[in-house]
């Protein structure tokens, strides 16, 4: 009786492993994918923060032009690029924000120092490793935003 029962259970471990191993790898790769997504979200926020800091420092130094003038946006974009290294960025958006209402200003030419803010948004796309990341992530778009008060030139 024991001998017959032992024969009936042969191969059970392999069958169980055949069910468990794919689920294990799916979860492991999904966790890696979500971890990379979270890491890149942090990188995007950090790069946007560096870009916003570069923009308000330009204003503090009395650099000619508004934060959204071509020369200043180029300097902001280079600050973002230096933070990200080899990462290919789709867009760096620089806008001025009304400090009282939070609404975007149509132009940065009329900012009020100490009240209005500079917003920098960084966007890029990344491929997911597994469909788990695509199912639970925010698409493949990575973005980070930073908003800082425009202090103006020191007196």
């Amino acid at each position: 009786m024991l001998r017959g029962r032992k024969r009936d259970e042969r191969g059970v471990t392999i069958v169980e492993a055949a069910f468990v191993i794919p689920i294990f790898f799916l979860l492991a790769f999904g966790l890696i994918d979500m971890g990379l997504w979270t890491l890149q979200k942090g990188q995007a926020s950090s790069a946007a923060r560096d870009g916003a800091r570069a923009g308000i420092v330009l204003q503090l130094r009395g650099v000619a032009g508004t934060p959204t003038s071509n020369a200043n946006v180029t300097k902001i974009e280079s600050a973002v690029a230096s933070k990200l290294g080899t990462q290919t960025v789709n867009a760096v958006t620089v806008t001025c924000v009304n400090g009282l209402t939070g609404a975007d200003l149509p132009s940065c030419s009329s900012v009020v120092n100490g009240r209005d803010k500079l917003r920098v948004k960084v966007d890029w796309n990344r491929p997911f490793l597994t469909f788990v990341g695509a199912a639970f992530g925010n698409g493949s778009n990575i973005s980070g935003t930073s908003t800082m008060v425009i202090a103006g030139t020191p007196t």
Side-chain angles (χ1 to χ4, degrees):
M1 185 132 174
L2 287 174
R3 187 176 279 204
R5 187 168 187 173
K6 190 170 185 174
R7 285 185 187 159
D8 291 341
E9 292 181 8
R10 281 191 329 183
V12 170
T13 305
I14 292 175
V15 172
E16 288 174 352
F19 283 114
V20 172
I21 289 175
I23 293 170
F24 171 75
F25 278 112
L26 184 69
L27 289 174
F29 287 130
L31 285 172
I32 291 169
D33 204 12
M34 295 304 292
L36 289 172
W37 181 74
T38 303
L39 171 74
Q40 289 190 349
K41 287 286 284 182
Q43 288 176 327
S45 295
S46 180
R49 190 171 35 255
D50 280 6
R53 188 175 302 117
I56 65 169
V57 165
L58 290 171
Q59 292 304 108
L60 283 171
R61 291 183 181 156
V63 173
T66 65
T68 56
S69 66
N70 289 339
N72 290 345
V73 169
T74 301
K75 291 176 184 172
I76 291 170
E77 287 174 344
S78 69
V80 168
S82 70
K83 183 68 172 184
L84 293 176
T86 60
Q87 180 66 44
T88 303
V89 176
N90 289 350
V92 176
T93 308
V94 181
T95 55
C96 289
V97 178
N98 186 318
L100 297 176
T101 64
D104 288 349
L105 294 172
S107 135
C108 289
S109 60
S110 62
V111 295
V112 176
N113 292 334
R115 182 191 78 185
D116 293 335
K117 301 175 182 180
L118 179 69
R119 179 185 300 142
V120 176
K121 183 177 180 189
V122 179
D123 291 308
W124 72 80
N125 293 323
R126 71 172 289 271
F128 286 108
L129 297 175
T130 65
F131 71 90
V132 175
F136 293 108
N138 185 16
S140 62
N141 185 37
I142 301 293
S143 66
T145 304
S146 182
T147 306
M148 294 187 179
V149 175
I150 300 171
T153 55
T155 56

